[in-house]
Amino acid sequence: MDFTFTEEQQAAVEAARAVFSDVAPDRAPSPALTPGAVAEDFDRQLWHELARTDLLGLTLSPDHGGAGLDPIALCLVLRESAKVLARVPLLESCAVAMTIERYGDRSLAAELLPRASRGELILTVGANGRSGHDPAELAVSARPYGAGDGADDGAGDGGTDGSAGGSGWVLDGVQSAVPWAQAADWIAVPAHTAGGRPVLALVPRTRDGVTLADQVSTNGERLAEVRLDAVRVEARELIDAAGCWDWLRSLLTTGTCALALGLGERVLAMTAEYTGKREQFGFPVATFQAVAVQAADRYIDLRAMEATLWQAAWRISTDTGGPLPAAGDVAVAKVWASDGVRRVVQTAQHLHGGFGADTDYPLHRYHAWAKQIELSLGPAAAHEEALGDLLAAHPLG
C-alpha cells in the first residue's frame, strides 16, 4: 500500500495546522469542574477561521465553493483538530454536506452547500438512534403522504415502501445524543420506510414537530435528544438512494477514527515531554525500561490506528473493491481506534502519576474526549461483531 498524500492533501494539513496553532485545549471550562455542558455553543471564532481558510468546503466540488478533495483530506484535517480538542462540528457538517452532494437533490444541494462551505450554515446528523445500541435508522419511521390530500395514511403515491412520488414524507421517532443540534440549521436524520428500507431525511431544526432536549456528553459537550412528531419533509429533503445512509455512517465512523488518532498522538507527545523532564534518582523517568516499554507499546497502537484509518478512508474515497465490503475496513479501523485511544490515555495517566489528574493540566480533558470518541458510533466490541457478520457473509479464501 502507498499512503503517500497528494500535494493538495498536504496543503490542507498545513492550512489546518496554521488555524489550530492558536487554539488552546483549555479554551472552554473543564468538564471535570463544570456541572452540565461546558458551553452553550461551539467555538464560533474557530469556525469562522476554518471558513476563512476554505477548510469547511475542502471536500465539496468547486461548483459549491469547495476544493474538490476526498474523505482522506477531511480525515487529515480532523486529525489536526483533535490535537487541540477543537470544539467545532467539523466532522458532522462536512460529512452531511458530502452526502448531500453525492446523493441528494441537486436543487437542495445548490441551496445549502455553498452556504455550508462558507460556514454560514451548520449541518449535523443523528447517528445514535434511540439508545446508541440499535441501528440508528430503526429509531425513526418515514411514511409518504399523498400530494394535496393532507392524509398521513402511509400509502402515498409510491406504496408503503417506496417513493412519495414528489409529494412528501412524515417522520416519527427519536434520535439521541445528536452533536451540536442546538446550534445546527439542518439535521440529517436516518429513518426507515414501512418495508424496512433505510433513508436519510434532511430536517430544518425549526421545522414544526421537531423538539430538542438537552443532553451532555462524556467530554462535557452539549448534545440533544431530537424528537420528531409527525414532522413533514418535502420529497427533495429525503434521500432514498441505495447505500446513502451506509456511506454517511462509514464516513462518520472513519472521521471518528481520525479524531482518535490525532488525540492519541498529542497525548503520547505530552507523555514523552513529561517523562523526559520528570526525574527520579537523578535520571529522567523516560530512561527507565518500564516506562519506555509502555510508551513503545502505545506508539505501536498509534501506528496500527493510522494504517487502518487510511485503509478505511481510501476505501470509502475510491469505492475500490476488495475481499470484504468497505464496511469491513471501517470496522477494523474503529476497533483499533476505540481500543487504541483508550490504552494511550490510560498509559498517559499512569506515567504522569498524580500530575495527570491535576485539573490545571490539560491531560484530564484529553482523557474525557478519548472516552467520548471510544464509545461514539459503537465501541470496539460492536464493530468486532459487525466484522464477524461480514466475514460470515463474505468468506475469504
Side-chain angles (χ1 to χ4, degrees):
M1 294 174 202
D2 181 7
F3 288 145
T4 303
F5 301 114
T6 66
E7 291 184 6
E8 292 81 4
Q9 291 166 345
Q10 292 171 343
V13 173
E14 293 303 318
R17 286 175 178 167
V19 171
F20 295 128
S21 64
D22 293 330
V23 178
D26 56 359
R27 209 136 109 171
S30 166
L33 303 176
T34 308
V38 297
E40 292 295 305
D41 199 5
F42 62 86
D43 191 336
R44 293 279 179 174
Q45 177 184 346
L46 177 57
W47 188 253
H48 294 320
E49 189 64 19
L50 289 168
R52 186 189 67 79
T53 53
D54 297 326
L55 287 173
L56 298 183
L58 190 69
T59 53
L60 296 177
S61 71
D63 292 341
H64 296 129
L69 299 187
D70 56 16
I72 295 174
L74 175 60
C75 287
L76 286 166
V77 175
L78 290 169
R79 179 187 188 180
E80 298 303 316
S81 75
K83 294 177 181 179
V84 296
L85 306 182
R87 300 181 51 260
V88 287
L90 182 61
L91 170 58
E92 295 80 10
S93 199
C94 289
V96 173
M98 292 175 68
T99 305
I100 294 173
E101 183 172 64
R102 183 182 176 104
Y103 295 101
D105 178 85
R106 291 187 178 182
S107 66
L108 187 64
E111 177 183 327
L112 300 182
L113 299 187
R115 295 180 61 203
S117 69
R118 296 193 297 267
E120 301 168 0
L121 192 77
I122 310 301
L123 306 170
T124 191
V125 54
N128 295 300
R130 185 180 292 272
S131 66
H133 298 290
D134 298 319
E137 67 272 18
L138 299 184
V140 177
S141 65
R143 65 184 189 277
Y145 65 85
D149 62 10
D152 300 338
D153 58 5
D157 295 336
T160 58
D161 180 49
S163 125
S167 50
W169 296 80
V170 178
L171 305 176
D172 287 283
V174 174
Q175 289 289 342
S176 182
V178 179
W180 320 107
Q182 293 87 346
D185 299 291
W186 289 69
I187 303 172
V189 179
H192 67 280
T193 65
R197 185 164 51 88
V199 294
L200 185 70
L202 303 167
V203 184
R205 176 177 51 81
T206 55
R207 181 70 53 88
D208 288 345
V210 176
T211 56
L212 275 60
D214 280 357
Q215 296 176 316
V216 181
S217 67
T218 303
N219 59 345
E221 294 301 332
R222 196 178 179 202
L223 306 176
E225 178 189 79
V226 178
R227 183 173 295 275
L228 303 106
D229 295 312
V231 175
R232 293 198 173 192
V233 295
E234 301 173 14
R236 69 171 189 154
E237 294 171 343
L238 188 134
I239 305 174
D240 61 357
C244 171
W245 168 237
D246 288 339
W247 190 83
L248 173 55
R249 182 175 174 82
S250 291
L251 180 57
L252 290 168
T253 305
T254 305
T256 302
C257 296
L259 294 172
L261 176 61
L263 186 148
E265 289 176 330
R266 178 62 190 132
V267 166
L268 189 60
M270 291 169 61
T271 305
E273 182 180 4
Y274 175 78
T275 57
K277 294 178 180 178
R278 177 78 167 88
E279 291 189 358
Q280 286 185 0
F281 312 112
F283 296 95
V285 297
T287 63
F288 298 169
Q289 185 178 30
V291 173
V293 167
Q294 291 182 71
D297 285 343
R298 301 296 77 82
Y299 177 81
I300 293 171
D301 277 336
L302 290 174
R303 296 292 68 80
M305 291 166 61
E306 184 175 21
T308 54
L309 163 65
W310 300 132
Q311 171 71 8
W314 173 69
R315 286 292 304 276
I316 64 175
S317 296
T318 61
D319 293 325
T320 301
L324 288 179
D329 293 286
V330 173
V332 170
K334 188 57 164 67
V335 169
W336 273 103
S338 293
D339 283 344
V341 76
R342 172 176 49 79
R343 288 192 292 259
V344 168
V345 294
Q346 286 178 345
T347 297
Q349 288 281 11
H350 175 64
L351 296 182
H352 275 82
F355 195 58
D358 188 342
T359 55
D360 290 330
Y361 186 67
L363 183 59
H364 75 286
R365 296 173 181 267
Y366 284 91
H367 201 153
W369 278 68
K371 181 55 66 175
Q372 177 68 25
I373 290 171
E374 176 194 348
L375 301 177
S376 292
L377 301 175
H383 289 274
E384 288 168 350
E385 183 178 351
L387 183 59
D389 292 340
L390 285 170
L391 288 169
H394 302 83
L396 305 179

